[in-house]
Amino acid sequence: MTEDKETIEKSLFSDTSAYLDIMNRPRHVSKAHTPMTQEDRAAQFSPFAALTGYHRLLAEIGKRYQHKKYLTADELQQIKAELTKIENEKGMPRLRIEYFNAKDGFYEEYCGQLKRINQQSHRLVFKDTTEIPIQNIRKIKRDQ
C-alpha cells in the first residue's frame, strides 16, 4: 500500500511537463523596485518575525538562568520531606532559605518567619509577603 502511495505522489508532484514553457526562462528583474535581500525575504516566512526583540529577550533570560543548578530528584525529595515536616508542626518557624532568585539570576539567602506553604502555587509565603518558589530552593535551615 505504501508503494502505491509513493507512486501516486511521484506522479502528482514530480511531473513538471506542464511548466516546460517557463522552466528555462530568465528570472524577471524589476526596474522600478530594488531587489530584496535574502535576509528580508527569509524574514517574511519566519514564524516569529512579528515578535521584534523576542530573540534578545530569550537570550537575556538564558543568561540569568545559566547560574542555576537544577536539583537532583533525591535533593528535591529531601526538600519536600523537610517542608512536610515543617507543615505538620505547630506554629511556623523562622527559616533560612538559600534559593535561586530568577529576577537577579543568582543564588541568595533569605531569612524570615514562614507564614504558610502554598501547595497550589508551590511557594513558601513569609510574613513580610516574600514568596519563594519551592523549585528554586537549594537549602532549608531553621533559623534559631
Side-chain angles (χ1 to χ4, degrees), residues 9-73:
E9 284 179 359
K10 282 183 183 178
S11 69
L12 287 174
F13 301 114
S14 297
D15 183 20
T16 59
S17 61
Y19 304 102
L20 286 175
D21 60 329
I22 62 171
M23 290 280 279
N24 293 320
R25 292 186 72 186
R27 184 176 70 86
H28 173 71
V29 179
S30 173
K31 294 177 184 172
H33 302 285
T34 57
M36 187 182 286
T37 66
Q38 283 187 330
E39 291 84 17
D40 289 342
R41 188 176 300 278
Q44 294 182 83
F45 302 103
S46 175
F48 294 107
L51 302 176
T52 56
Y54 179 74
H55 296 291
R56 187 179 67 241
L57 177 66
L58 284 180
E60 282 177 25
I61 291 171
K63 282 181 189 175
R64 275 193 239 148
Y65 276 86
Q66 71 186 1
H67 301 290
K68 184 174 183 179
K69 176 192 171 276
Y70 292 91
L71 300 177
T72 64

Side-chain angles (χ1 to χ4, degrees), residues 14-141:
S14 297
D15 183 20
T16 59
S17 61
Y19 304 102
L20 286 175
D21 60 329
I22 62 171
M23 290 280 279
N24 293 320
R25 292 186 72 186
R27 184 176 70 86
H28 173 71
V29 179
S30 173
K31 294 177 184 172
H33 302 285
T34 57
M36 187 182 286
T37 66
Q38 283 187 330
E39 291 84 17
D40 289 342
R41 188 176 300 278
Q44 294 182 83
F45 302 103
S46 175
F48 294 107
L51 302 176
T52 56
Y54 179 74
H55 296 291
R56 187 179 67 241
L57 177 66
L58 284 180
E60 282 177 25
I61 291 171
K63 282 181 189 175
R64 275 193 239 148
Y65 276 86
Q66 71 186 1
H67 301 290
K68 184 174 183 179
K69 176 192 171 276
Y70 292 91
L71 300 177
T72 64
D74 291 338
E75 291 169 329
L76 189 58
Q77 189 61 36
Q78 286 175 348
I79 286 173
K80 287 183 177 182
E82 182 67 27
L83 290 174
T84 302
K85 243 193 275 184
I86 290 169
E87 202 169 25
N88 292 331
E89 293 175 358
K90 285 188 177 180
M92 292 292 178
R94 267 186 77 73
L95 297 177
R96 184 176 297 274
I97 307 284
E98 189 176 322
Y99 74 103
F100 181 78
N101 183 338
K103 199 176 266 187
D104 297 336
F106 292 99
Y107 281 91
E108 292 182 2
E109 191 170 88
Y110 173 81
C111 245
Q113 180 73 38
L114 186 64
K115 182 177 179 182
R116 66 187 165 94
I117 300 172
N118 187 334
Q119 296 295 348
Q120 282 81 16
S121 66
H122 303 283
R123 293 174 176 269
L124 300 183
V125 181
F126 291 87
K127 292 227 176 182
D128 66 355
T129 69
T130 299
E131 292 189 21
I132 298 176
I134 293 172
Q135 67 187 21
N136 288 354
I137 296 173
R138 185 159 61 179
K139 291 181 188 172
I140 297 177
K141 294 181 188 174

